Amino acid sequence: MEEAEKVLHSMVVRGCEPDVFSYNILINGYCKAKKLDEAMQIFEDMHIKGLTPDVITYNSVIDGLCKVRRVAAALELFEKMQAQGTSPNVYTYSTLLDGLFTNGSYEEAMRLFEKMDNDGLKADIVIYNTVINHMCKSNNLDEAKKLFDSLPSKELQPNTQTFTSMINGLITKGMLKESEDLFTEMVEKGHTPDDITYNIMVRGSLLHNDIDKAMQLLNAMIDRGFSLNATNISMVEDLLATHGPKSKFIDLVDKVLPKHQSKGNFTSVKPVV
């Protein structure tokens, strides 16, 4: 960033005045580096020089503010951009929605989501994934399901992330059968589960003592080169510590557990052929 500023200074010295595009590059760099004071200073410099920030300028600063959890300031800037005649785009809304949800401002985020629709902007699957995910996390599974089911009518198709969010919501609610049905539907529709999907399904199976299902999922994970996350590793280790060498998991120990983490020292046992 220091080198970039030197180039900008060199431009001015040589009589080549930076335009909005030039400033956007610099602001974006500072925002990505989470140096918001510097970014805001350049933002003010644009006004002083008579340059009008465009939607890209505002998006960069709003994104930077959200990343450092200054969501109230991001909302103020969102209002300011509209008051000055710059219309927000889908990326603006996506950034703010994610910032509000992450900050725990669920109701405000949902109002913004409704405003986007009222303003005639068509949300993409990224935004729907964000909203569905946080609906599930906020114990609004019914609303998430309605939104999920409405996607085809909006000419959008759920992707792996959409299915994974819904599966996680169902498992959190204790609806293991429904989560398994949705997992099957996901695969049948051609969406490949990722490591997050598998870890969620394994966790659900273990929580509901469906060891056979967990074994099946673990084998599938291994076949695809995925690894257990820390939570599932701990759960498998607890099962091994409880059931010992007779555990159904013993033939997978060397594959699914890091040897240095095993609580019960069962990783020395060879897999059963």
Side-chain angles (χ1 to χ4, degrees):
M1 291 308 304
E2 290 179 3
E3 293 301 316
E5 282 230 48
K6 287 179 183 177
V7 173
L8 185 72
H9 179 70
S10 177
M11 287 175 66
V12 176
V13 170
R14 297 182 184 187
C16 182
E17 284 297 323
D19 57 11
V20 173
F21 182 77
S22 306
Y23 278 107
N24 281 351
I25 293 171
L26 203 58
I27 286 176
N28 187 54
Y30 275 125
C31 288
K32 286 187 180 303
K34 298 184 179 180
K35 295 184 176 181
L36 269 298
D37 290 338
E38 290 88 341
M40 294 305 294
Q41 181 59 56
I42 296 203
F43 185 74
E44 293 303 321
D45 288 347
M46 290 179 67
H47 288 287
I48 293 172
K49 294 182 181 297
L51 295 173
T52 303
D54 60 15
V55 67
I56 296 173
T57 321
Y58 283 106
N59 284 351
S60 293
V61 180
I62 287 171
D63 185 46
L65 290 168
C66 286
K67 279 183 168 57
V68 296
R69 292 185 173 274
R70 291 168 58 182
V71 182
L75 282 171
E76 287 180 15
L77 192 59
F78 176 71
E79 297 296 333
K80 181 179 178 180
M81 73 181 286
Q82 294 172 89
Q84 295 186 348
T86 303
S87 299
N89 58 19
V90 172
Y91 184 81
T92 321
Y93 279 98
S94 178
T95 301
L96 264 178
L97 281 168
D98 188 61
L100 286 167
F101 279 128
T102 302
N103 198 51
S105 304
Y106 180 85
E107 296 298 333
E108 195 162 10
M110 292 308 300
R111 285 195 293 272
L112 185 67
F113 182 58
E114 291 174 7
K115 173 177 166 53
M116 181 181 181
D117 186 55
N118 293 335
D119 287 349
L121 278 176
K122 183 179 178 181
D124 58 15
I125 194 62
V126 174
I127 290 180
Y128 278 103
N129 284 347
T130 298
V131 175
I132 288 171
N133 182 43
H134 286 279
M135 279 180 166
C136 291
K137 287 182 176 179
S138 301
N139 202 29
N140 290 296
L141 186 61
D142 290 341
E143 292 302 312
K145 185 67 167 61
K146 288 178 184 177
L147 199 58
F148 178 83
D149 291 339
S150 74
L151 290 177
S153 69
K154 303 177 189 298
E155 298 181 352
L156 292 170
Q157 293 301 319
N159 57 21
T160 296
Q161 185 179 343
T162 330
F163 276 101
T164 299
S165 293
M166 284 303 306
I167 288 169
N168 190 43
L170 290 167
I171 285 176
T172 301
K173 275 282 195 177
M175 303 167 69
L176 186 60
K177 176 62 168 60
E178 290 82 353
S179 71
E180 290 176 353
D181 290 343
L182 192 59
F183 181 82
T184 300
E185 179 185 336
M186 173 186 180
V187 175
E188 288 177 347
K189 289 187 174 180
H191 301 286
T192 304
D194 57 18
D195 61 326
I196 298 174
T197 319
Y198 275 108
N199 270 291
I200 288 170
M201 289 296 295
V202 168
R203 175 172 59 85
S205 299
L206 293 176
L207 285 173
H208 292 84
N209 296 313
D210 191 342
I211 307 302
D212 290 333
K213 184 65 178 180
M215 289 282 288
Q216 177 186 342
L217 290 163
L218 284 167
N219 275 306
M221 286 184 71
I222 292 166
D223 290 343
R224 288 164 174 76
F226 296 142
S227 301
L228 287 180
N229 59 23
T231 299
N232 285 339
I233 285 174
S234 180
M235 292 176 75
V236 171
E237 287 179 332
D238 287 341
L239 282 168
L240 286 169
T242 301
H243 300 288
K246 293 183 179 180
S247 169
K248 289 184 179 182
F249 284 103
I250 203 64
D251 62 337
L252 290 174
V253 166
D254 285 337
K255 295 181 181 179
V256 301
L257 292 186
K259 293 188 177 183
H260 66 282
Q261 289 186 2
S262 180
K263 293 177 183 176
N265 196 31
F266 294 112
T267 51
S268 61
V269 180
K270 296 298 181 183
V272 176
V273 179

